[in-house]
Amino acid sequence: MVPRSISRKSFIKNSSILFAAGSGLLASGQAGSVGSFPAPAAGKALTLKNVRLETGFEYEEGQVSGTKTELFTIEISNGKIKSVLPNNPAAKGMDAKGLLLLPAFREMHIHLDKTYYGEKWKATNRKGGGVKGMIALEQQIIPGLLQNSTYKAEKLIELLQSKGSNFARSHVNIEPTSKLDSLKHLQKALEHKKDSFEAELVAFPQHGLYYTDSTGLMKDAAQMGVAFIGGLDPASIDGSIEKSMDFVVQLALDYHKGIDIHLHEGGASGVQTIEYLIKKVNENPVLKGKTFISHCFVLAHLEQNRLEEVAEKMGNAQIGVISTIPFGRTIMPIPTLYKYGVDVRAGNDCIIDHWSTFGSGSVLQKANLAAQLYGYNTELGLSRILKLATHNVLPLDDKGNQQWPKTGDKADLVLVEASCSAEAVSRISPVRSLIHRGNVVF
Ligand SMILES: [Zn+2]
């Protein structure tokens, strides 16, 4: 049985006392709110006892009917799993109290640079006009947003950590209004959080590459530590799929970056953009596995034969799709994308900003949404779709063999108040602790 009554406060209090007694890394009472937690320096050892790990499936009439778990003691050093041992309740170290250990979650599409989070509640103030209307709005409000964007990014990172993510792929505005300041301010926040959080950045020409002249700034950004070159609706914003995508592809090639474009456009130009990108990636195989389309809503509205054709080509070109798992009029065909081996990843996109206020910061919630939308409702189905939160790292393989954690794995871990992965997805179980490279950060 997993204890159900541990509050986060008492858990952290107890673990900090044990921490202090066990390793001498922390004095009792130093543990506290996220961000103020003095993470032990990388390389220090950490022992976790009473850790619940999944060990296999139970079967009834050939169907997975449950998940077996046992308690273990895990030793961590140098930011990695050193050993997974039979449980030793008497071990000195942090007491996980029977909580389920899962791979830390990964938020794969967010805008850490552009948020109201950390300030007072504010509903969206869209004034219509589609994406171009939003560009006009941004040109007015971005100078105000930039005034304390480092602080707000740090608050947003703390929210993600509290929801179990120690990693984010963040888009960052590169346009003539903020110039390179959105990027610089976010990099400052990430520097402050570097012991507890990791991010990869996408240089995002939110106001169009040519609609506003952002090409020079994008070249500058490509040389400032970003990992991906972004893009935006090339036909509807820049008026040319080829001109806009050619710039993105060339910049990625010139500076050895990946690609992650926002594609909201539907209809013919949406599909043409996907097919053009597939062609460019096939011409430049170095971009395979490094190219992503965020949103890609047009796929939700293709008839099945056409969808399968496009999905197969995307799978072959190793172009991934990043989704917020939308519902309502746009249901993404994620099972079809999986069928063709497309790398699907999930993100919250907006937590609270002028685009949307519905992001919770939890990618576990995205896995839950997918389970509901696509019928992954059995023990097996629920346990498999956890991969949307962990980016494909699962404790058990499809046959129930234990495959995580193993010696040498990064110690990026989350402790969840659940009895197994399936329950965690179904209940969106509370996150009680996050460990980043062996450092307890939440
Ligand atoms: Zn976005």
Side-chain angles (χ1 to χ4, degrees):
M1 279 292 292
V2 171
R4 299 287 157 162
S5 54
I6 307 169
S7 72
R8 180 187 162 246
K9 201 171 155 195
S10 69
F11 177 78
I12 286 185
K13 187 167 156 251
N14 291 336
S15 53
S16 74
I17 291 165
L18 286 161
F19 231 106
S23 64
L25 295 174
L26 290 174
S28 177
Q30 277 187 305
S33 62
V34 182
S36 64
F37 198 109
K44 292 283 176 70
L46 170 65
T47 298
L48 283 171
K49 64 179 181 178
N50 298 320
V51 174
R52 187 169 303 278
L53 293 180
E54 297 183 343
T55 55
F57 289 132
E58 292 163 355
Y59 292 86
E60 271 173 33
E61 294 171 9
Q63 300 292 315
V64 175
S65 58
T67 303
K68 291 187 260 189
T69 63
E70 287 169 40
L71 297 182
F72 291 84
T73 291
I74 293 182
E75 291 178 339
I76 294 165
S77 75
N78 295 317
K80 292 187 172 162
I81 305 280
K82 188 176 146 202
S83 49
V84 180
L85 304 167
N87 194 36
N88 175 10
K92 289 181 176 178
M94 178 172 161
D95 188 351
K97 296 179 179 279
L99 294 168
L100 179 70
L101 191 76
L102 293 175
F105 303 150
R106 294 168 76 84
E107 160 63 56
M108 294 309 296
H109 186 120
I110 195 165
H111 297 257
L112 292 172
D113 64 319
K114 199 168 59 171
T115 182
Y116 297 136
Y117 191 77
E119 297 183 323
K120 63 180 187 180
W121 158 254
K122 191 170 170 56
T124 56
N125 47 358
R126 285 167 177 256
K127 294 187 169 61
V131 176
K132 284 187 175 173
M134 291 303 286
I135 293 171
L137 176 66
E138 287 207 351
Q139 287 167 335
Q140 289 170 24
I141 66 173
I142 276 179
L145 286 175
L146 280 174
Q147 282 177 9
N148 59 349
S149 65
T150 299
Y151 163 80
K152 289 179 293 187
E154 289 177 28
K155 291 287 142 196
L156 200 43
I157 288 167
E158 290 163 17
L159 174 73
L160 298 183
Q161 289 172 323
S162 76
K163 304 288 184 181
S165 290
N166 73 327
F167 179 92
R169 179 181 296 179
S170 178
H171 293 253
V172 54
N173 262 41
I174 304 293
E175 24 69 15
T177 305
S178 62
K179 300 186 174 62
L180 299 167
D181 287 347
S182 266
L183 175 58
K184 289 176 187 166
H185 292 193
L186 176 55
Q187 284 174 327
K188 204 177 286 177
L190 291 169
E191 174 64 23
H192 295 158
K193 295 290 186 189
K194 70 177 189 305
D195 291 333
S196 65
F197 195 80
E198 190 187 342
E200 57 189 11
L201 301 182
V202 185
F204 176 38
Q206 169 77 79
H207 300 179
L209 286 164
Y210 296 100
Y211 180 65
T212 64
D213 184 9
S214 300
T215 55
L217 290 164
M218 285 291 287
K219 282 181 190 163
D220 293 341
Q223 299 166 71
M224 291 172 63
V226 303
F228 292 84
I229 306 301
L232 174 71
D233 297 331
S236 65
I237 302 300
D238 284 336
S240 167
I241 294 170
E242 292 78 6
K243 190 177 172 196
S244 189
M245 285 298 96
D246 284 351
F247 178 87
V248 169
V249 168
Q250 196 55 51
L251 194 58
L253 291 171
D254 288 349
Y255 292 99
H256 313 289
K257 306 296 180 189
I259 291 173
D260 188 342
I261 66 163
H262 280 65
L263 185 64
H264 312 95
E265 300 189 43
S269 66
V271 189
Q272 282 161 15
T273 300
I274 299 172
E275 295 203 306
Y276 191 71
L277 199 52
I278 292 170
K279 176 173 163 290
K280 299 303 284 185
V281 169
N282 285 332
E283 286 169 10
N284 300 282
V286 68
L287 294 173
K288 286 188 175 186
K290 290 168 64 183
T291 300
F292 299 84
I293 304 179
S294 284
H295 307 310
C296 211
F297 295 139
V298 67
L299 294 178
H301 305 293
L302 294 180
E303 56 96 10
Q304 191 64 24
N305 285 346
R306 181 79 172 114
L307 169 64
E308 303 228 1
E309 189 188 318
V310 175
E312 185 172 16
K313 284 197 251 175
M314 289 179 80
N316 290 338
Q318 295 173 44
I319 295 177
V321 169
I322 318 273
S323 182
T324 58
I325 322 294
F327 55 94
R329 282 173 296 173
T330 302
I331 307 284
M332 289 298 293
I334 287 172
T336 304
L337 296 175
Y338 278 143
K339 178 179 164 190
Y340 290 101
V342 176
D343 181 4
V344 180
R345 307 187 187 192
N348 277 268
D349 199 3
C350 309
I351 302 296
I352 169 170
D353 61 25
H354 46 289
W355 291 81
S356 169
T357 56
F358 294 116
S360 68
S362 168
V363 279
L364 186 59
Q365 184 202 21
K366 298 298 179 183
N368 171 285
L369 256 177
Q372 294 191 62
L373 282 172
Y374 307 113
Y376 301 127
N377 47 22
T378 62
E379 181 80 4
L380 183 65
L382 286 163
S383 81
R384 302 298 85 190
I385 202 63
L386 177 70
K387 67 186 176 184
L388 274 181
T390 60
H391 188 225
N392 299 336
V393 184
L394 293 176
L396 302 178
D397 70 13
D398 293 355
K399 305 274 186 231
N401 300 306
Q402 200 173 12
Q403 59 183 6
W404 179 94
K406 291 266 188 267
T407 299
D409 286 346
K410 277 182 195 166
D412 292 345
L413 315 166
V414 66
L415 282 167
V416 176
E417 200 172 313
S419 63
C420 62
S421 296
E423 184 185 7
V425 170
S426 190
R427 309 305 309 160
I428 318 176
S429 301
V431 167
R432 296 302 182 206
S433 188
L434 174 69
I435 296 170
H436 173 76
R437 304 293 148 76
N439 296 330
V440 182
V441 299
F442 173 77

